Structures are given as C-alpha cells and as structure tokens.
Amino acid sequence: MLLEFLLRYHHRTGAERALEMVDRTLIAMGAGGIYDQLGGGFHRYATDARWLVPHFEKMLYDNALLARAYLHAWQVTGLAFYRRIVEETLDYVVREMTHNSGGFYSAQDADSEGEEGRYYVWTADEIEACLGVPTRRRSGATMA
C-alpha cells in the first residue's frame, strides 16, 4: 500500500524522489530472493538479512497487492521489467492459486511433505530443463 501511495504522490505532485523510492524497492524485490524467479509470484518474506533466502509460503493477498503495484509502476515508467513481473505473478496465481471451480486459494504453505520449501527447491538439471540453458554446476548442488 505504501508503494501505491508513493506512485499516487508522484503522479499528483511530480515528486521524482517518490518514484525513485518505488523503483528501488520494486526492482530489488523482483530481482531478489522473495520473488520466485522460475515459477513466478512472491514469497512472504526473506529469512536472511540480504533478502536472498525466502520463507517459502506464498499468500494470495501479497501477490495481488504486489501485482497491482508492479502494474502501476509499469504504467508510470514503461519499464518492461515491471510488466514481466506482473505477467509472471498473475500467471502464477492463475496456475497455482485458482481452484478449478473458480475460487482462489488464500496461500501455498511453506511446508511440503514435512520440509520447508521442498516444492520450491530445484536441481541444476531441473533449472536447465526449464530455462533451456546450461547452469553453473557444483557437485550435488540445488538451488532455491
């Protein structure tokens, strides 16, 4: 909601500093660990000080509010990065958080089969298959 306020403040007053704050925040969030770089959508928060390791739970309301903030930032700036995040986030919501009878799930739990983040951890081979490009490998490495 604060990002929406800053965007509206920028629109009303022309204050560039407000837009700079939104840009810095949204770019960092979209490039960081709370954004699911492969599956789309945002995790609730990071578990480390550098915001690289997510708490793997994803909430519908977080993704709805962030999709809206990225959409409005794209409308203001025209940055393709923002549009990509909006599209990937909403694709994730439709794919993973929509019940086949039309309703929405409120969250995806962080715990899967008794382990936090199990469904969100990828092997290098899985990443290569998804992206179609080789990744740097370390013996036995997995990536979140």
Side-chain angles (χ1 to χ4, degrees), residues 81-122:
F81 175 78
Y82 293 152
R83 180 178 173 164
R84 178 177 63 83
I85 298 294
V86 170
E87 290 174 352
E88 290 174 359
T89 299
L90 295 178
D91 286 346
Y92 155 75
V93 168
V94 168
R95 185 182 66 248
E96 302 292 337
M97 298 195 83
T98 305
H99 190 275
N100 50 1
S101 67
F104 291 97
Y105 300 109
S106 62
Q108 275 190 317
D109 198 349
D111 294 326
S112 308
E113 297 178 6
E115 182 180 336
E116 183 173 339
R118 179 178 173 91
Y119 292 151
Y120 296 105
V121 177
W122 298 60

Side-chain angles (χ1 to χ4, degrees), residues 38-131:
L38 297 176
F42 286 88
H43 300 285
R44 287 198 75 191
Y45 56 86
T47 61
D48 66 316
R50 296 184 64 208
W51 283 56
L52 295 176
V53 180
H55 171 64
F56 290 100
E57 184 175 34
K58 290 182 179 179
M59 305 299 291
L60 180 63
Y61 67 87
D62 289 333
N63 283 280
L65 291 171
L66 285 166
R68 181 182 166 122
Y70 277 89
L71 173 64
H72 292 158
W74 172 70
Q75 290 173 324
V76 170
T77 67
L79 286 176
F81 175 78
Y82 293 152
R83 180 178 173 164
R84 178 177 63 83
I85 298 294
V86 170
E87 290 174 352
E88 290 174 359
T89 299
L90 295 178
D91 286 346
Y92 155 75
V93 168
V94 168
R95 185 182 66 248
E96 302 292 337
M97 298 195 83
T98 305
H99 190 275
N100 50 1
S101 67
F104 291 97
Y105 300 109
S106 62
Q108 275 190 317
D109 198 349
D111 294 326
S112 308
E113 297 178 6
E115 182 180 336
E116 183 173 339
R118 179 178 173 91
Y119 292 151
Y120 296 105
V121 177
W122 298 60
T123 66
D125 289 337
E126 290 169 328
I127 292 170
E128 286 179 12
C130 180
L131 297 178

